[in-house]
PDB file of all heavy atoms in Angstrom:
ATOM      1  N   ARG J 109       3.038   0.544   4.469  1.00 98.00           N
ATOM      2  CA  ARG J 109       3.443   1.775   3.792  1.00 98.00           C
ATOM      3  C   ARG J 109       2.327   2.813   3.840  1.00 98.00           C
ATOM      4  O   ARG J 109       1.154   2.491   4.043  1.00 98.00           O
ATOM      5  CB  ARG J 109       3.842   1.513   2.347  1.00 98.00           C
ATOM      6  CG  ARG J 109       2.715   1.018   1.434  1.00 98.00           C
ATOM      7  CD  ARG J 109       2.121   2.134   0.589  1.00 98.00           C
ATOM      8  NE  ARG J 109       0.923   1.709  -0.137  1.00 98.00           N
ATOM      9  CZ  ARG J 109      -0.297   1.793   0.362  1.00 98.00           C
ATOM     10  NH1 ARG J 109      -0.500   2.241   1.583  1.00 98.00           N
ATOM     11  NH2 ARG J 109      -1.350   1.406  -0.347  1.00 98.00           N
ATOM     12  N   GLU J 111       0.913   5.910   1.329  1.00 98.00           N
ATOM     13  CA  GLU J 111       1.045   6.559   0.017  1.00 98.00           C
ATOM     14  C   GLU J 111       0.956   8.063   0.298  1.00 98.00           C
ATOM     15  O   GLU J 111      -0.030   8.535   0.845  1.00 98.00           O
ATOM     16  CB  GLU J 111      -0.109   6.076  -0.856  1.00 98.00           C
ATOM     17  CG  GLU J 111      -0.196   6.711  -2.219  1.00 98.00           C
ATOM     18  CD  GLU J 111      -1.587   6.499  -2.777  1.00 98.00           C
ATOM     19  OE1 GLU J 111      -1.857   5.420  -3.310  1.00 98.00           O
ATOM     20  OE2 GLU J 111      -2.428   7.419  -2.643  1.00 98.00           O
ATOM     21  N   GLY J 114       0.280  10.565  -5.219  1.00 98.00           N
ATOM     22  CA  GLY J 114       0.298   9.717  -6.414  1.00 98.00           C
ATOM     23  C   GLY J 114      -0.666   8.561  -6.222  1.00 98.00           C
ATOM     24  O   GLY J 114      -0.256   7.453  -5.900  1.00 98.00           O
ATOM     25  N   ASN J 115      -1.963   8.841  -6.432  1.00 98.00           N
ATOM     26  CA  ASN J 115      -3.015   7.875  -6.126  1.00 98.00           C
ATOM     27  C   ASN J 115      -3.470   7.143  -7.392  1.00 98.00           C
ATOM     28  O   ASN J 115      -3.828   7.785  -8.382  1.00 98.00           O
ATOM     29  CB  ASN J 115      -4.185   8.660  -5.498  1.00 98.00           C
ATOM     30  CG  ASN J 115      -5.275   7.787  -4.955  1.00 98.00           C
ATOM     31  OD1 ASN J 115      -6.422   7.872  -5.387  1.00 98.00           O
ATOM     32  ND2 ASN J 115      -4.951   6.928  -4.007  1.00 98.00           N
ATOM     33  N   HIS J 116      -3.461   5.827  -7.335  1.00 98.00           N
ATOM     34  CA  HIS J 116      -3.857   4.993  -8.479  1.00 98.00           C
ATOM     35  C   HIS J 116      -3.040   5.304  -9.731  1.00 98.00           C
ATOM     36  O   HIS J 116      -3.529   5.171 -10.852  1.00 98.00           O
ATOM     37  CB  HIS J 116      -5.363   5.123  -8.760  1.00 98.00           C
ATOM     38  CG  HIS J 116      -6.204   4.385  -7.746  1.00 98.00           C
ATOM     39  ND1 HIS J 116      -6.793   3.170  -8.004  1.00 98.00           N
ATOM     40  CD2 HIS J 116      -6.518   4.684  -6.457  1.00 98.00           C
ATOM     41  CE1 HIS J 116      -7.458   2.760  -6.920  1.00 98.00           C
ATOM     42  NE2 HIS J 116      -7.306   3.670  -5.967  1.00 98.00           N
ATOM     43  N   ASP J 118       0.121   3.846 -10.060  1.00 98.00           N
ATOM     44  CA  ASP J 118       1.112   2.774 -10.298  1.00 98.00           C
ATOM     45  C   ASP J 118       0.734   1.884 -11.476  1.00 98.00           C
ATOM     46  O   ASP J 118       1.553   1.624 -12.351  1.00 98.00           O
ATOM     47  CB  ASP J 118       1.409   1.960  -9.016  1.00 98.00           C
ATOM     48  CG  ASP J 118       0.226   1.230  -8.405  1.00 98.00           C
ATOM     49  OD1 ASP J 118      -0.931   1.508  -8.787  1.00 98.00           O
ATOM     50  OD2 ASP J 118       0.465   0.363  -7.531  1.00 98.00           O
ATOM     51  N   TYR J 119      -0.544   1.450 -11.548  1.00 98.00           N
ATOM     52  CA  TYR J 119      -0.912   0.568 -12.668  1.00 98.00           C
ATOM     53  C   TYR J 119      -1.164   1.358 -13.952  1.00 98.00           C
ATOM     54  O   TYR J 119      -1.514   0.786 -14.974  1.00 98.00           O
ATOM     55  CB  TYR J 119      -2.114  -0.318 -12.299  1.00 98.00           C
ATOM     56  CG  TYR J 119      -3.343   0.456 -11.856  1.00 98.00           C
ATOM     57  CD1 TYR J 119      -4.191   1.069 -12.766  1.00 98.00           C
ATOM     58  CD2 TYR J 119      -3.634   0.590 -10.502  1.00 98.00           C
ATOM     59  CE1 TYR J 119      -5.305   1.775 -12.352  1.00 98.00           C
ATOM     60  CE2 TYR J 119      -4.742   1.300 -10.081  1.00 98.00           C
ATOM     61  CZ  TYR J 119      -5.575   1.888 -11.015  1.00 98.00           C
ATOM     62  OH  TYR J 119      -6.675   2.610 -10.596  1.00 98.00           O
ATOM     63  N   THR J 249      -4.305  -5.090  -8.213  1.00 94.00           N
ATOM     64  CA  THR J 249      -3.492  -3.978  -7.730  1.00 94.00           C
ATOM     65  C   THR J 249      -2.177  -3.867  -8.503  1.00 94.00           C
ATOM     66  O   THR J 249      -1.755  -4.806  -9.177  1.00 94.00           O
ATOM     67  CB  THR J 249      -3.168  -4.215  -6.243  1.00 94.00           C
ATOM     68  OG1 THR J 249      -2.745  -5.575  -6.104  1.00 94.00           O
ATOM     69  CG2 THR J 249      -4.388  -4.013  -5.380  1.00 94.00           C
ATOM     70  N   GLY J 250      -1.539  -2.691  -8.352  1.00 96.00           N
ATOM     71  CA  GLY J 250      -0.244  -2.455  -8.985  1.00 96.00           C
ATOM     72  C   GLY J 250       0.900  -2.905  -8.078  1.00 96.00           C
ATOM     73  O   GLY J 250       0.719  -3.773  -7.213  1.00 96.00           O
ATOM     74  N   ASP J 253       2.643  -1.127  -3.331  1.00 98.00           N
ATOM     75  CA  ASP J 253       2.728  -1.565  -1.939  1.00 98.00           C
ATOM     76  C   ASP J 253       3.974  -2.426  -1.711  1.00 98.00           C
ATOM     77  O   ASP J 253       4.693  -2.261  -0.716  1.00 98.00           O
ATOM     78  CB  ASP J 253       1.458  -2.336  -1.550  1.00 98.00           C
ATOM     79  CG  ASP J 253       0.205  -1.537  -1.864  1.00 98.00           C
ATOM     80  OD1 ASP J 253       0.321  -0.323  -2.092  1.00 98.00           O
ATOM     81  OD2 ASP J 253      -0.891  -2.127  -1.904  1.00 98.00           O
ATOM     82  N   LEU J 297     -10.627  -4.096  -1.552  1.00 65.00           N
ATOM     83  CA  LEU J 297     -10.212  -3.586  -2.858  1.00 65.00           C
ATOM     84  C   LEU J 297     -10.575  -4.488  -4.028  1.00 65.00           C
ATOM     85  O   LEU J 297     -10.072  -4.304  -5.120  1.00 65.00           O
ATOM     86  CB  LEU J 297      -8.702  -3.339  -2.852  1.00 65.00           C
ATOM     87  CG  LEU J 297      -8.228  -2.163  -1.994  1.00 65.00           C
ATOM     88  CD1 LEU J 297      -6.755  -1.900  -2.221  1.00 65.00           C
ATOM     89  CD2 LEU J 297      -9.025  -0.897  -2.274  1.00 65.00           C
ATOM     90  N   TYR J 301     -12.075  -1.127  -6.779  1.00 90.00           N
ATOM     91  CA  TYR J 301     -10.695  -0.923  -7.247  1.00 90.00           C
ATOM     92  C   TYR J 301     -10.556  -1.447  -8.682  1.00 90.00           C
ATOM     93  O   TYR J 301     -10.055  -0.762  -9.570  1.00 90.00           O
ATOM     94  CB  TYR J 301      -9.725  -1.662  -6.326  1.00 90.00           C
ATOM     95  CG  TYR J 301      -8.268  -1.432  -6.680  1.00 90.00           C
ATOM     96  CD1 TYR J 301      -7.504  -0.492  -6.006  1.00 90.00           C
ATOM     97  CD2 TYR J 301      -7.656  -2.153  -7.707  1.00 90.00           C
ATOM     98  CE1 TYR J 301      -6.168  -0.276  -6.333  1.00 90.00           C
ATOM     99  CE2 TYR J 301      -6.331  -1.937  -8.043  1.00 90.00           C
ATOM    100  CZ  TYR J 301      -5.590  -1.004  -7.348  1.00 90.00           C
ATOM    101  OH  TYR J 301      -4.282  -0.795  -7.682  1.00 90.00           O
ATOM    102  N   GLY J 415      -3.650   5.326  -0.269  1.00 94.00           N
ATOM    103  CA  GLY J 415      -3.879   3.966  -0.750  1.00 94.00           C
ATOM    104  C   GLY J 415      -5.110   3.883  -1.632  1.00 94.00           C
ATOM    105  O   GLY J 415      -5.539   4.870  -2.236  1.00 94.00           O
ATOM    106  N   GLY J 416      -5.694   2.693  -1.692  1.00 93.00           N
ATOM    107  CA  GLY J 416      -6.788   2.427  -2.618  1.00 93.00           C
ATOM    108  C   GLY J 416      -7.986   3.344  -2.438  1.00 93.00           C
ATOM    109  O   GLY J 416      -8.603   3.786  -3.392  1.00 93.00           O
TER     110      GLY J 416
HETATM  111  C1  GLA X 681      -3.641   0.000  -3.398  1.00 84.13           C
HETATM  112  C2  GLA X 681      -2.931  -0.882  -4.430  1.00 84.13           C
HETATM  113  C3  GLA X 681      -1.739  -0.148  -5.049  1.00 84.13           C
HETATM  114  C4  GLA X 681      -2.125   1.241  -5.548  1.00 84.13           C
HETATM  115  C5  GLA X 681      -2.946   1.998  -4.490  1.00 84.13           C
HETATM  116  C6  GLA X 681      -3.529   3.273  -5.012  1.00 84.13           C
HETATM  117  O1  GLA X 681      -2.803   0.218  -2.322  1.00 84.13           O
HETATM  118  O2  GLA X 681      -2.490  -2.069  -3.832  1.00 84.13           O
HETATM  119  O3  GLA X 681      -1.183  -0.924  -6.086  1.00 84.13           O
HETATM  120  O4  GLA X 681      -2.824   1.147  -6.756  1.00 84.13           O
HETATM  121  O5  GLA X 681      -4.016   1.222  -3.994  1.00 84.13           O
HETATM  122  O6  GLA X 681      -2.531   4.163  -5.400  1.00 84.13           O
END
Side-chain angles (χ1 to χ4, degrees):
R109 65 99 188 89
E111 176 198 279
N115 188 240
H116 286 257
D118 61 347
Y119 56 79
T249 46
D253 307 345
L297 290 188
Y301 184 98

